[in-house]
Amino acid sequence: MSEENWIEVGSTDSIEEEDLIRFDHQDKTFCVYKLTDGFYATDGICTHEAVHLEDGLVMDDEIECPMHQGIFNIKSGEALSPPACEDLKTYPVKVDNDKIFIKID
Amino acid sequence: MKNNIIILGGGQAGIYAAREIRQNDSKSSIKILGKENLLPYERPPLSKDFLLDKKNEEDLYFHSSDVLKDENIEFENVSISKVDFENKKLFAKNDHVYSYDSLLISTGSENKKLSLDNNLKNDIYYLRNLEEAKKIKEIVSNKNKITIIGGGFIGLEIASSLSQLQKKVIVIEIGNQLMGRIIPKQIADLVQNTHIEHGNEIILNKQIEKITKKNGDYEILLNDNSLIETDFIIAGIGSTPTVKLFENTNLKLDNGIVTNQFCETSIKDVYAAGDVSNFYHPFYKRNMRLESYQHAQNHGICAGKNIAGVKTEYTSIPWMWSDQFNLNLQLTGICDEYDEIIERGNDINNGVIYFFLKNNKIRGACGVGIIGKVGRDIRITSKLSEKNTIVDKQTLSDQNLKLNKLMQK
Ligand SMILES: Cc1cc2nc3c(=O)[nH]c(=O)nc-3n(C[C@H](O)[C@H](O)[C@H](O)COP(=O)(O)OP(=O)(O)OC[C@H]3O[C@@H](n4cnc5c(N)ncnc54)[C@H](O)[C@@H]3O)c2cc1C
Ligand code: FES
């Protein structure tokens, strides 16, 4: 694992618990979540149609798309409820000195 | 016990019911009979991304034939033309007879047709299924000025798609606002403005007097004597439940097939789900018929459980959406039983929501905004309403205050 791929997202207190923030890097958009047991990251755009999941609702381990209520598991990316059927890509997250980093491919 | 289960109507409610039955019952035979020679598919994209070529046929199917095979669910392309509930038999046009132990009716709904006095029946197009969507897509490719009769959801979605295909679109609506009275006038007006900004012409309060064909084009005469020239006409004037087949039977009908909260009809071992069913909703303590994606799915699943012997009440809070241009409109709950209306936001860029309250609890809400802007709040609204939460009105009306603060943990 090379260090270069870890990108700093922000400080750990920039996200409320059971919430998310959007993070844009180069031409990609990600969502970074704070769940009860830690931080997680997924692609920021729904796999159904091109809508930003930053406006979605986080419930337990799930993110629900604001457009058609497609639901994804935040930890695995699995599409749990139609019309979403394609899984959401997830990314490793680490916290270092109160800063959140995500590893992009 | 091994049962012979037949699902009449191979749409969304039918496929969800079939898979749910299989989850709970590995032995019974499950057969879906469908009039369309297609595996069950999603209809919402027909008026939107399918017309826009952003989705094609393969993207629409709920499941591949492999999934059905794995789960031992049979799909047969056949149109049923007669039922004999007493002897538990269905008769097909091709003389084939099907016997069942349990029957689910999920025949959906069909478009109302314009009553025209001349021979224009084949000239007016309607949109309900994939075949019609394909035909419309093909024909509009060499038409320019298109008239849509009816300013409901489907008509407006088609108007939005055709405008994005650079067509000149006119929408004629008989009522004094778009999308019917269930949508707050202010929201209907915001949607109307968006259509106008994109170049669509919206004509309200007008009725069609006569349509005449002229050199392959059409002239539409309205009741104020104005004339519209157009080269293609699509009508979206509402729909009715597909119940013709049952009209001379004992099955209780009233705006669809009457069912209780367990999807049971008036006849033993006969169930109904989806657009075709006028069901009892225990939360609202009344019957209702819904035409929505979420309802077809959840009602199908509930029927599937009950058919498989897992007695389950249907309690889903109604929800539906419509996408037009860059707008997403959502409706939840019921919006016709209220003693107070509260407005949240007034700018379409941040989303505008109208809440319908009764005794300080939310009964329903309708919102519209640029894509993504109302979904979360509408979802929270459904939850608040489902839990009968007494809501703080200040929080509802102030867009700077987050609605999830109202949710009790
Ligand atoms: C163009 C369009 C756009 C839509 N957009 C949205 C949207 O944006 N959001 C939303 O929430 N909802 C939308 N809907 C509504 C949603 O698609 C329907 O509510 C849903 O499909 C209903 O499912 P169903 O299973 O009850 O009926 P259907 O999916 O209509 O399936 C019924 C099936 O039964 C078959 N059938 C009928 N009679 C017979 C017979 N005698 N023998 C054999 N087969 C028979 C029919 O051919 C059909 O295939 C839209 C609908 C349409 C048509
Ligand atoms: S865009 Fe996310 S579910 Fe449709």
Side-chain angles (χ1 to χ4, degrees), chain A residues 16 18-20 48-52 54-57 59 64 66-69 71 81-83, chain B residues 16 42 49 55 293 297 319 321 323 328 330 371-373 375-376 379-380 383 402 405 407 409:
Chain A
E16 287 176 41
E18 258 205 36
D19 206 354
L20 80 170
H48 180 235
E49 283 169 21
V51 63
H52 284 281
E54 70 169 319
D55 294 316
L57 182 65
M59 286 173 298
E64 187 176 279
M67 195 160 170
H68 309 128
Q69 297 190 353
I71 300 176
S81 177
Chain B
Y16 275 95
E42 298 186 321
D49 281 3
K55 276 195 176 143
Y293 183 96
Q297 172 186 317
W319 175 74
W321 82 86
D323 298 327
N328 173 244
Q330 300 193 9
I371 281 167
K373 291 303 165 202
R376 175 164 41 196
R379 184 68 171 108
I380 294 170
K383 286 173 171 287
K402 282 188 170 184
K405 299 278 178 279
M407 291 212 277
K409 284 270 165 178

Side-chain angles (χ1 to χ4, degrees), chain B residues 257-402:
Chain B
I257 301 171
V258 178
T259 57
N260 63 12
Q261 63 269 47
F262 303 108
C263 307
E264 294 164 338
T265 69
S266 60
I267 296 178
K268 191 172 176 305
D269 299 327
V270 179
Y271 300 75
D275 282 11
V276 76
S277 139
N278 181 358
F279 63 98
Y280 180 75
H281 199 303
F283 183 75
Y284 301 105
K285 299 192 170 44
R286 70 182 217 199
N287 271 68
M288 56 177 79
R289 194 173 76 80
L290 301 173
E291 295 178 6
S292 99
Y293 183 96
Q294 172 247 25
H295 169 66
Q297 172 186 317
N298 293 343
H299 208 212
I301 291 173
C302 183
K305 284 194 176 29
N306 285 300
I307 292 169
V310 184
K311 196 100 175 163
T312 310
E313 270 196 333
Y314 186 69
T315 54
S316 261
I317 299 293
W319 175 74
M320 62 89 60
W321 82 86
S322 172
D323 298 327
Q324 299 166 38
F325 295 105
N326 55 348
L327 298 183
N328 173 244
L329 179 149
Q330 300 193 9
L331 259 175
T332 187
I334 53 172
C335 303
D336 59 355
E337 271 184 23
Y338 55 88
D339 52 29
E340 190 173 2
I341 298 178
I342 293 180
E343 184 184 341
R344 179 179 177 87
N346 51 25
D347 173 4
I348 208 144
N349 292 302
N350 299 321
V352 177
I353 299 181
Y354 283 78
F355 299 99
F356 298 87
L357 278 71
K358 196 169 181 190
N359 302 328
N360 302 314
K361 296 170 190 163
I362 300 176
R363 293 298 267 177
C366 175
V368 71
I370 298 298
I371 281 167
K373 291 303 165 202
V374 295
R376 175 164 41 196
D377 283 349
I378 290 283
R379 184 68 171 108
I380 294 170
T381 302
S382 307
K383 286 173 171 287
L384 292 170
S385 133
E386 189 171 22
K387 294 196 170 125
N388 268 320
T389 311
I390 304 256
V391 285
D392 170 48
K393 293 172 193 168
Q394 173 64 24
T395 309
L396 285 186
S397 64
D398 184 349
Q399 222 162 21
N400 297 316
L401 301 176
K402 282 188 170 184

Side-chain angles (χ1 to χ4, degrees), chain B residues 138-341:
Chain B
E138 186 193 317
I139 297 175
V140 294
S141 66
N142 44 45
K143 302 285 180 195
N144 290 312
K145 198 173 173 196
I146 295 161
T147 299
I148 294 173
I149 302 176
F153 291 123
I154 293 182
L156 291 173
E157 288 174 358
I158 299 172
S160 147
S161 299
L162 296 184
S163 159
Q164 292 173 65
L165 296 171
Q166 317 307 325
K167 308 293 175 188
K168 172 83 193 96
V169 181
I170 302 173
V171 177
I172 305 170
E173 163 60 41
I174 192 169
N176 65 357
Q177 68 162 79
L178 295 175
M179 297 176 290
R181 279 159 305 164
I182 197 81
I183 303 291
K185 172 92 167 57
Q186 295 87 335
I187 288 194
D189 290 347
L190 290 171
V191 172
Q192 177 170 336
N193 291 344
T194 300
H195 277 264
I196 292 168
E197 276 163 22
H198 284 88
N200 286 353
E201 189 182 339
I202 308 276
I203 302 175
L204 297 176
N205 287 314
K206 293 287 177 307
Q207 230 167 316
I208 313 281
E209 286 289 322
K210 196 173 171 197
I211 303 177
T212 325
K213 199 167 180 175
K214 274 208 173 141
N215 307 323
D217 292 341
Y218 305 92
E219 256 180 21
I220 303 176
L221 176 68
L222 300 181
N223 57 342
D224 63 349
N225 278 329
S226 55
L227 263 188
I228 293 168
E229 286 176 14
T230 190
D231 40 42
F232 190 60
I233 303 174
I234 304 172
I237 53 167
S239 47
T240 51
T242 309
V243 293
K244 217 181 170 96
L245 202 50
F246 318 111
E247 269 165 6
N248 296 313
T249 70
N250 290 334
L251 189 65
K252 187 166 177 207
L253 303 177
D254 176 16
N255 179 30
I257 301 171
V258 178
T259 57
N260 63 12
Q261 63 269 47
F262 303 108
C263 307
E264 294 164 338
T265 69
S266 60
I267 296 178
K268 191 172 176 305
D269 299 327
V270 179
Y271 300 75
D275 282 11
V276 76
S277 139
N278 181 358
F279 63 98
Y280 180 75
H281 199 303
F283 183 75
Y284 301 105
K285 299 192 170 44
R286 70 182 217 199
N287 271 68
M288 56 177 79
R289 194 173 76 80
L290 301 173
E291 295 178 6
S292 99
Y293 183 96
Q294 172 247 25
H295 169 66
Q297 172 186 317
N298 293 343
H299 208 212
I301 291 173
C302 183
K305 284 194 176 29
N306 285 300
I307 292 169
V310 184
K311 196 100 175 163
T312 310
E313 270 196 333
Y314 186 69
T315 54
S316 261
I317 299 293
W319 175 74
M320 62 89 60
W321 82 86
S322 172
D323 298 327
Q324 299 166 38
F325 295 105
N326 55 348
L327 298 183
N328 173 244
L329 179 149
Q330 300 193 9
L331 259 175
T332 187
I334 53 172
C335 303
D336 59 355
E337 271 184 23
Y338 55 88
D339 52 29
E340 190 173 2
I341 298 178

Side-chain angles (χ1 to χ4, degrees), chain B residues 9 11-13 35-36 43-44 48 80 108 275 291-293 296 321:
Chain B
Q12 184 169 12
K35 188 154 74 171
E36 294 179 77
R43 292 179 204 277
K48 316 176 188 84
I80 294 299
D275 282 11
E291 295 178 6
S292 99
Y293 183 96
W321 82 86

